[in-house]
Amino acid sequence: MTGHLSETLTLLLIEDDDGDAFLVEELLNEADAPPKIFWARSLKEAKAKLTPQIQCVLVDLSLPDATRLEALEEVLALAPHTAVLVLTGLRDAHVGVAAVQAGAQDYLVKGDIDARLLARAIRYSMERKRADLAQLGLVQAELTAKENSRLQNALLPSPLLHTQAIEHVTRYLPGSGGTLAGDFFDTVQTPDGSVHVVIGDVCGHGPDEAALGVALRIAWRTLVLAGQTDDTLLRTLDALLRAERQTPEIFTTLCMATITADLRLARMRVVGHPPPVLVRDGAVQVVDGTPSGPPLGIFADAEWPVIDVPLGEDWSMMLYTDGLIEATVGERDELLGVEGLLDLVREHGTIDLDRLITRVGKLSDDLAAVLVRRRRS
């Protein structure tokens, strides 16, 4: 009977018995599209012939340089993404079952095979390997998603606020690559009534940068709760960044503001970060005098002067990462930029994070934003 291999495959046969190898080749030559077969008499020979072009390996478990499942383990280690079909003797059928349990896709008893059965077993082995790899990919994707979720929860915590006089809104969107970045933010109100807000961005993308963002965010919260809200805080964060970063090129931008208890003044330090947007008594503008100093991790003796921002009675303030102003807008996919952001806020008449986000197009970087607004009494 003709075997059902309708496309030309590339196989590797590992068999030290010339007669058995000839039989397998003859059966496979009966297929509609006879496969290209490489033959190895030992595991040593197989290592040299096991290239990425091999789609299925047929391996006898009685080889001169490997015994039983040792041969299978070697093949699985050498070709983790290739289907493996085990060939056994009549008296070793139980070994075939053990081989499948150890990772082979299927097994055949040499004395019981014909062309159709062999072709079907090869096809089945390849499809099962694809399914196994797909399932493994789904599991890995699920684990990655859970890990990203844990990191995001650490990067983007719940605010510690006990006042009802401030509206607090945050948004976070991952960039187009889907890789978690080091954007972070936090808000803490201290016993004196002051409200402290930070938003930051560790340069780069990936788990190392995200973990560094978590460390900086937690350190910032700890220092604020301990009463450190001035240059000591920034110098401590700078020292932590230098100690924890993977390479000396990694730096971090951030913006932090301390809003006084009467909610009429914000004392800000803008550390190499995009300027906050302020809506004050109906006027839309960026905070003047920004940035107040370079990013963390660049200059050991850097200074970050305080920017005093009078707020008045009616105000909204948005801190954000550069993923927002580097997003595209319009039919021509132009970068939004700071001026474009101000135009959108003026168009809306207020800072509405959801409306802003719906207006931007493709994100090249993570987008994080914190809006604080004095509630009207």
Side-chain angles (χ1 to χ4, degrees):
M1 291 185 180
T2 302
H4 294 289
L5 292 178
S6 57
E7 61 180 277
T8 302
L9 303 178
T10 303
L11 312 178
L12 174 62
L13 173 62
I14 310 175
E15 171 64 74
D16 66 322
D17 186 285
D18 291 355
D20 287 342
F22 178 78
L23 173 62
V24 170
E25 289 183 333
E26 285 295 303
L27 292 175
L28 290 175
N29 283 332
E30 296 181 28
D32 297 333
K36 183 177 182 180
I37 305 171
F38 292 91
W39 180 21
R41 290 181 171 83
S42 66
L43 198 58
K44 182 179 180 180
E45 284 187 29
K47 291 179 180 179
K49 297 179 179 181
L50 195 50
T51 66
Q53 286 70 42
I54 300 297
Q55 296 165 280
C56 183
V57 178
L58 290 75
V59 56
D60 177 30
L61 295 186
S62 299
L63 296 175
D65 54 351
T67 58
R68 294 189 180 270
L69 294 183
E70 291 179 2
L72 174 62
E73 291 171 356
E74 287 279 355
V75 171
L76 292 174
L78 291 169
H81 301 293
T82 305
V84 177
L85 176 62
V86 166
L87 302 175
T88 69
L90 287 172
R91 293 176 297 177
D92 296 325
H94 64 286
V95 178
V97 176
V100 171
Q101 293 174 341
Q105 275 61 62
D106 203 356
Y107 78 95
L108 288 175
V109 178
K110 294 178 186 177
D112 293 340
I113 59 175
D114 57 26
R116 182 178 295 275
L117 178 60
L118 180 57
R120 187 177 65 183
I122 291 172
R123 178 63 63 195
Y124 169 80
S125 296
M126 292 174 60
E127 292 301 327
R128 181 175 176 183
K129 186 63 178 183
R130 289 193 188 101
D132 290 346
L133 292 174
Q135 180 63 31
L136 179 61
L138 289 174
V139 171
Q140 291 175 337
E142 183 178 351
L143 290 174
T144 299
K146 289 181 178 179
E147 185 64 25
N148 282 347
S149 178
R150 285 194 291 269
L151 280 170
Q152 285 186 20
N153 289 337
L155 286 164
L156 318 174
S158 299
L160 294 180
L161 281 172
H162 54 260
T163 180
Q164 298 299 316
I166 281 186
E167 178 184 354
H168 182 273
V169 183
T170 63
R171 292 292 183 269
Y172 173 83
L173 291 176
S176 58
T179 304
L180 194 65
D183 291 15
F184 61 93
F185 55 71
D186 205 352
T187 302
V188 172
Q189 188 170 17
T190 46
D192 65 356
S194 299
V195 176
H196 308 269
V197 185
V198 69
I199 192 163
D201 184 2
V202 179
C203 71
H205 297 80
D208 289 339
E209 289 77 10
L212 185 53
V214 171
L216 292 171
R217 203 258 332 147
I218 293 174
W220 180 88
R221 175 175 282 205
T222 303
L223 289 164
V224 169
L225 291 174
Q228 299 292 337
T229 60
D230 51 16
D231 283 346
T232 302
L233 183 151
L234 286 175
R235 297 198 183 283
T236 303
L237 293 182
D238 184 75
L240 176 63
L241 170 66
R242 294 172 186 274
E244 296 293 330
R245 62 188 177 185
Q246 297 295 314
T247 63
E249 293 80 20
I250 298 296
F251 63 88
T252 298
T253 70
L254 63 84
C255 175
M256 64 181 193
T258 296
I259 303 169
T260 54
D262 62 6
L263 307 183
R264 298 180 63 86
L265 176 71
R267 308 202 74 199
M268 307 189 70
R269 287 178 172 85
V270 184
V271 182
H273 202 78
V277 173
L278 178 65
V279 179
R280 181 174 49 192
D281 296 326
V284 180
Q285 63 186 93
V286 293
V287 172
D288 292 332
T290 59
S292 56
L296 300 178
I298 296 182
F299 302 114
D301 57 350
E303 296 182 353
W304 302 274
V306 174
I307 303 171
D308 285 330
V309 183
L311 298 176
E313 295 290 338
D314 185 9
W315 57 267
S316 302
M317 183 166 57
M318 178 176 66
L319 286 63
Y320 56 92
T321 56
D322 58 8
L324 176 57
I325 55 176
E326 292 176 359
T328 60
V329 291
E331 296 180 356
R332 292 185 292 180
D333 287 338
E334 297 177 345
L335 290 183
L336 177 61
V338 175
E339 290 301 321
L341 176 59
L342 293 175
D343 289 342
L344 285 181
V345 174
R346 293 187 183 106
E347 178 184 327
H348 297 159
T350 185
I351 301 176
D352 185 323
L353 292 187
D354 290 329
R355 290 182 67 186
L356 282 175
I357 289 172
T358 59
R359 292 293 298 275
V360 302
K362 183 179 179 181
L363 297 177
S364 61
D365 197 357
D366 284 22
L367 183 162
V370 179
L371 168 65
V372 286
R373 175 185 288 120
R374 183 170 186 173
R375 294 186 189 275
R376 296 178 181 176
S377 41

